């Protein structure tokens, strides 16, 4: 399969999926509900993330939302009534598996937040490896407004991203944090002007897709352990992972390209 190959699958579905130039584009697609998660969407997203993990041609994942939102979190119309799944099921079967899949996916995952990201929608974005936003986007820990606590890793990622005090206040007050403020406090990587957002975020995904994929996966693995390991344990882990990175073809290519004073061409091998 060539790098230019485009695969369009499931494009009428609540989770659109296509692969182009080694990037898997995942679009949360319930725009009339601000891409709020119902059960179907939560399970489909898990399936698509599994495909991203298993397909060799995928070297970066780009998650965004259709229309004016990234995602408004749980579809609140689905949490009441006799057929409501119940909180235990929502976390165990919907959100926790999504967060776990994104963190364990051995490829970089970029969240492109073009509008509001609220509740679980915000925390799914914030658990990604690189988070960028349009200037008009915002992040809301909406949970306290409806009597819940931040889930989907919110209490894990937020204090690590922005520090305890900001995390605590944002979580309790449910503030609407603008994209620029989110960037300033280290919650996200970068903000683009609205008119540049789609092109610039896709270009960034393209950069990620051309980097040495296995080294990025090992970097992700190391970072996943960094906040719970002691320094000694982390040094040992780096040692182990660096030895693995040094066995890749991309490492040989990187060194050869440097010495030959030419750009490296990485293949993710
Ligand atoms: O039991 C559990 O809940 C467990 C779940 C845990 C995980 C969670 O994610 S909890 C947090 C759930 N999310 C929220 O509480 C956010 C609710 N939404 C909002 O606060 C606002 O919609 C926003 C701040 C996100 C955006 O405001 P705005 O003014 O831009 O849009 P809007 O007019 O409020 O919403 C537009 C439409 O989307 C509207 O539908 P309508 O009236 O045009 O037919 C609105 O009802 C719908 N919508 C927005 N968010 C949700 C939703 N529908 C269902 N569920 C939503 N979360």
């Amino acid at each position: 399969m060539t790098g230019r190959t485009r695969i369009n699958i499931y494009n009428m579905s609540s989770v659109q999926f296509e692969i182009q130039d080694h990037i898997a584009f995942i679009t949360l697609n319930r725009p009339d509900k601000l891409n709020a998660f119902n059960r179907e969407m939560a399970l489909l997203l898990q399936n698509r993330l599994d495909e991203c993990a298993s397909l060799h041609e995928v070297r970066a994942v780009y998650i965004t939302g259709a229309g004016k939102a990234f995602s408004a979190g749980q579809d609140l119309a689905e949490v009441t009534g006799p057929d409501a799944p119940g909180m235990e099921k929502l976390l165990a079967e919907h959100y926790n598996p999504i967060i776990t899949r994104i963190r364990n996916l051995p490829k970089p995952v970029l969240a492109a937040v073009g509008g509001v990201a609220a509740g679980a929608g915000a925390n799914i974005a914030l658990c990604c490896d690189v988070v960028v936003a349009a200037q008009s986007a915002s992040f809301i820990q909406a949970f306290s407004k409806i009597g819940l606590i931040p889930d989907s890793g919110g209490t894990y990622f937020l204090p690590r991203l922005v520090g305890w005090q900001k995390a605590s206040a944002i979580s309790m007050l449910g503030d609407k944090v603008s994209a620029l403020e989110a960037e300033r406090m280290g919650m996200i990587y970068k903000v683009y002007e609205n008119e540049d957002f789609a092109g610039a975020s896709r270009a960034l995904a393209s950069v990620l897709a051309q980097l040495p994929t296995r080294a990025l996966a090992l970097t992700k693995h190391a970072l996943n352990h960094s906040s719970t390991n002691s320094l000694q344990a982390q040094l040992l882990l780096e040692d182990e992972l660096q030895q693995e990175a040094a066995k890749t073809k991309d490492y040989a290519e990187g060194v050869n390209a440097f010495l030959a004073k030419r750009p490296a061409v990485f293949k993710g091998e």
Side-chain angles (χ1 to χ4, degrees):
M1 190 171 296
T2 72
R4 297 298 307 169
T5 302
R6 176 190 274 261
I7 306 173
N8 281 300
I9 326 174
Y10 320 115
N11 274 357
M12 297 305 286
S13 113
S14 58
V15 178
Q16 294 182 340
F17 186 69
E18 68 179 300
I19 300 169
Q20 189 179 11
D21 296 337
H22 300 292
I23 306 166
F25 290 95
I26 294 177
T27 305
L28 307 175
N29 187 37
R30 299 183 74 218
D32 53 326
K33 301 284 177 198
L34 301 187
N35 305 317
F37 276 86
N38 59 9
R39 182 168 174 80
E40 179 199 79
M41 190 164 118
L43 297 181
L44 275 175
L45 177 57
Q46 292 174 37
N47 291 343
R48 301 294 85 89
L49 290 167
D50 287 344
E51 284 183 61
C52 291
S54 64
L55 290 171
H56 181 67
E57 71 263 34
V58 172
R59 292 177 57 191
V61 181
Y62 178 101
I63 305 179
T64 197
K68 66 175 190 168
F70 180 80
S71 168
Q74 171 60 36
D75 186 332
L76 295 175
E78 262 207 5
V79 298
T80 53
D83 298 328
M87 189 63 72
E88 199 181 325
K89 214 169 176 180
L90 281 179
L91 296 196
E93 295 182 12
H94 296 187
Y95 299 111
N96 293 354
I98 291 171
I99 302 300
T100 306
R101 276 170 170 77
I102 292 173
R103 290 311 318 149
N104 290 343
L105 215 156
K107 297 166 189 184
V109 182
L110 182 148
V113 180
V116 67
N123 292 335
I124 288 169
L126 294 179
C127 86
C128 291
D129 300 300
V130 180
V131 188
V132 296
Q135 193 156 349
S136 58
S138 56
F139 297 81
I140 311 176
Q141 296 294 321
F143 306 89
S144 64
K145 302 256 164 82
I146 55 169
L148 292 179
I149 72 153
D151 59 24
S152 306
T155 60
Y156 184 91
F157 297 107
L158 255 192
R160 287 168 169 82
L161 290 168
V162 301
W164 187 279
Q165 177 54 218
K166 286 272 184 197
S168 173
I170 288 167
S171 300
M172 290 187 179
L173 296 167
D175 288 338
K176 181 173 180 169
V177 179
S178 72
L180 282 171
E181 210 182 336
E183 182 192 40
R184 231 176 276 127
M185 66 172 80
M187 192 191 287
I188 66 172
Y189 175 54
K190 211 169 251 191
V191 177
Y192 299 113
E193 300 279 351
N194 290 341
E195 53 275 24
D196 299 334
F197 167 70
S201 58
R202 282 171 168 253
L204 188 57
S206 179
V207 171
L208 288 167
Q210 289 169 53
L211 288 168
T213 313
R214 292 184 58 197
L216 300 197
L218 295 168
T219 302
K220 183 166 177 169
H221 183 89
L223 286 171
N224 279 346
H225 287 81
S226 72
S227 46
T228 47
N229 264 348
S230 67
L231 173 61
Q232 281 312 310
Q234 192 68 10
L235 289 173
L236 285 175
L237 180 63
E238 287 176 0
D239 184 346
E240 181 193 319
L241 300 178
Q242 196 68 298
Q243 293 190 42
E244 223 178 293
K247 289 180 195 145
T248 63
K249 289 183 184 166
D250 281 343
Y251 171 59
E253 165 62 8
V255 174
N256 288 337
F258 177 80
L259 295 176
K261 299 188 188 301
R262 63 167 174 81
V265 181
F266 297 118
K267 295 194 171 144
E269 291 167 3

